[in-house]
Amino acid sequence: MYAMWRLQVALCTLSVLSLSSGGESKARSCSEVRQAYNAKGFSLVNVPHQEISGEHLRVCPQGYTCCTSEMEDKLNQQSKLEFENLVEESSHNMRTTFVSRHKKFDEFFLELLDNSEKSLNSMFTRTYGKLYMQNSEVFQDLFTELKRYYTGGNVNLEEMLNDFWSRLLERMFQLLNSQYHFTDDYLECVSKYTDQLKPFGDVPRKLKAQVTRAFIAARTFVQGLMVGREVANRVAKVNIVPACVRALTKMLYCPYCRGMPGLKPCHNYCHNVMRGCLANQADLDAEWNLFIDAMLLVADRLEGPFNIEAVIEPIDIKISEAIMTMQDNSMQVSAKVFQGCGQPKPSGIGRSARGISDVFSARFRPYTPEERPTTAAGTSLDRLVTDIKEKLKESKRFWSNLPDDICAKGKLTESDEEQCWNSHTKGRYFPEVVKEGLTNQVNNPEVEVDITRPDTLIRQQIMALRVMTNKLKNAYNGNDIYFQDSSDEGSSSGSGSGCSDGCTTEFIFVGTEAPVIGADRSDERAAAAAAGKSLSCGPSILLVLAALTLPLWAMQTQWR
C-alpha cells in the first residue's frame, strides 16, 4: 500500500515538472518582437520580454503572445495607416499621369490659341498698319469666345461663328460701298442675306465644321483628363471599415504577437484580404474601362480629322481667303442686297478714284514656317496624343488589378507558400481566393463585407465617369451634348458636325444655347467674359481687310 502511494507521488511530481518545463518552453523570448515594434516608432514601455497569456487579445490568436491589449490597438491603427499608404503608392503613377497630362494638354491648347491670335494680329498689323488696329476687335472677339468655350464657358460655337461672319460682312459691305450711308437697321438686313448670298464663298461652312468639331473634341478630352484625375484621387483615399481594419491587423501584425515579426502573409491570403477591403473599388472598374476606351477614341480623332492644331494654325489664311472672295464678288453681292434691302442714301462722300484695289500697296502674305511662332508648349498635338494614349491603355483594369499589385510576391507577401503567415500560424493557406467585386465577397473567409451597402463615394464616382463617357462618345461624333436643338426631335441630342466613320463629309452644326458644365475654371471664365465685354464692337469707319487685291495662290493651295 505504501509502495503504491509512493509511486503515485512520484508520478504526480514528474507530471508537475513536465508541465513546468513545457510552460517555460512556450514562454519564448519577445526580443525580436520588441526590436521590430520599436522600429515602427512605438515605445517599449510595458512591452513584455517573454510571451504572456493572450486571453486579452481581440483580433490575434489568444495563445501565448508578445502583445498586450495596448500593443494590439496600436498595431490596429498602424495597419489602417499602412493600407492607406499602400493604395496611394500603388495608384501614384496612374494618378500622376492624369495630373501631368491634363496640365500639359491644357497649356498646349491655350498656347495654341494665343499663338494663332498673335500670328493673325502681327500679320495684319504689318500689312495694314493703323487701319487694321482700328478694326481688330472683330478678330479679338473671335479668339476671346474660342478661349471662353474651351475653358468651359457657355458659348454656342455655331452662333458665335455666325456672328463673326455677320459682323465681318457688315464692315466689308460698308467699305465696299463707302459712297452710301447705312443705318443699323439696314446693316441688320444685310446680315440676313449672309446664308443666301454666301459672300465669303464656302469658307464659313468649312471653317465652322472644322472649328466646331475640333474644339468640341479638345475641350471634352481635357475635361476627361480632369475627371479621370479627380475620380482617381478620390477613390485612392479609401474608406476603411472596421472589419477591414481587423483583417489587415490579423494579416500584417498578428505574426508580431506570435513572436514571428519577420513572417510575411501568404499570397492567396493577402488576395482575400485586399479583395474584401477593396471590393467597392473593384466595382468602379467596369465604368472606368468604358471611360478609358472613350478617351482613346477621342484621342484618335485628335490625331486625325479633329486635329485642332491643323485647324487653328492656318485660320488667318482661311479668313483672308474669305475676305478676298467677298471683294471679288462685291458688285454682285451689293446689287442683290440693294434689291432686297432697298437703295441706300448717298453719304455725300465719293469712293476713292483709285478704287478699293489700290488702297494698299502692301500684299497680304502668310508666315513662312520659319516665321511662325514656336510650337505650342514646346511640343505638337501628335506627340502629346501618342504619349497619353500609351498611359491610358496602361490604366485599364487598374481598380480590379489593385489587390494583385498590392499583394505582389516579394513586396508584401511571401513567395514560399509553406513559409508564410496563413492567419494563425506559419504554413500553407488553403482557402480559395474569391473573385473581385462587392457581390463576390459574400463568401470571403477573411473580411466580413456587407454586400447590401455599396460605398456612396464610389457610386458617385461611377456616375461621374458615366456622364463623362457619354460626353466623350458625343465628342467622338462631333457633337456637343450641352447644345441641344429642341426643334430637331428626330436627331440625337446635341449639336456638332456629326461625323461618319471616315469623317470625310463636313456638316453644318445646329444647336441652341444651353448650360455647360464648367471646366473648373470659374475665375478664368469670369475674366474671359469681362474681356469679351471690353472688346464689344461699335461702329467703325473702315475695314482694311477688304483691300486684298492680289490672288493668294499659296493660301488657296493650303486651304484645299
Side-chain angles (χ1 to χ4, degrees), residues 208-379:
K208 187 191 297 184
Q210 294 174 341
V211 166
T212 303
R213 67 192 189 189
F215 269 79
I216 290 172
R219 181 171 83 162
T220 307
F221 190 76
V222 170
Q223 286 179 346
L225 290 173
M226 183 181 69
V227 168
R229 176 193 72 191
E230 294 303 314
V231 168
N233 283 337
R234 286 171 184 154
V235 176
K237 297 185 182 301
V238 287
N239 177 30
I240 309 175
V241 297
C244 172
V245 177
R246 286 194 298 272
L248 289 166
T249 303
K250 191 174 182 181
M251 181 182 79
L252 296 173
Y253 286 111
C254 283
Y256 279 52
C257 297
R258 294 303 303 271
M260 299 175 284
L263 190 62
K264 292 181 179 181
C266 299
H267 189 65
N268 287 350
Y269 175 33
C270 178
H271 266 284
N272 275 337
V273 172
M274 292 301 166
R275 288 191 175 181
C277 290
L278 295 170
N280 283 284
Q281 280 76 6
D283 280 353
L284 182 78
D285 211 50
E287 202 63 49
W288 176 265
N289 292 337
L290 291 174
F291 162 70
I292 295 298
D293 286 339
M295 286 288 288
L296 289 169
L297 286 174
V298 176
D300 288 339
R301 288 294 203 225
L302 287 173
E303 283 183 309
F306 295 3
N307 189 318
I308 192 172
E309 192 172 23
V311 171
I312 292 301
E313 278 195 346
I315 198 171
D316 46 12
I317 298 172
K318 297 175 183 181
I319 291 172
S320 70
E321 182 181 344
I323 293 172
M324 289 177 62
T325 301
M326 169 68 183
Q327 182 181 327
D328 292 341
N329 299 324
S330 61
M331 298 292 288
Q332 299 93 313
V333 170
S334 296
K336 289 181 180 178
V337 169
F338 293 160
Q339 183 180 356
C341 298
Q343 188 70 23
K345 294 180 181 179
S347 64
I349 302 174
R351 289 185 68 176
S352 168
R354 293 184 299 160
I356 297 298
S357 61
D358 297 325
V359 172
F360 298 101
S361 59
R363 173 181 176 176
F364 176 89
R365 65 179 181 84
Y367 277 117
T368 63
E370 293 76 20
E371 292 176 309
R372 275 198 177 277
T374 54
T375 306
T379 185

Side-chain angles (χ1 to χ4, degrees), residues 30-31 49 84 140 171 181 218 310 343 367 408 411 492 505 548 550:
C30 292
S31 59
H49 288 273
E84 290 172 344
Q140 290 173 352
R171 299 291 182 95
H181 171 72
Q343 188 70 23
Y367 277 117
K411 186 168 79 171
S492 60
T505 307
L548 301 173
L550 298 175

Side-chain angles (χ1 to χ4, degrees), residues 515-526:
V516 174
I517 292 179
D520 200 23
R521 287 214 189 92
S522 54
D523 292 340
E524 292 179 22
R525 289 200 298 271

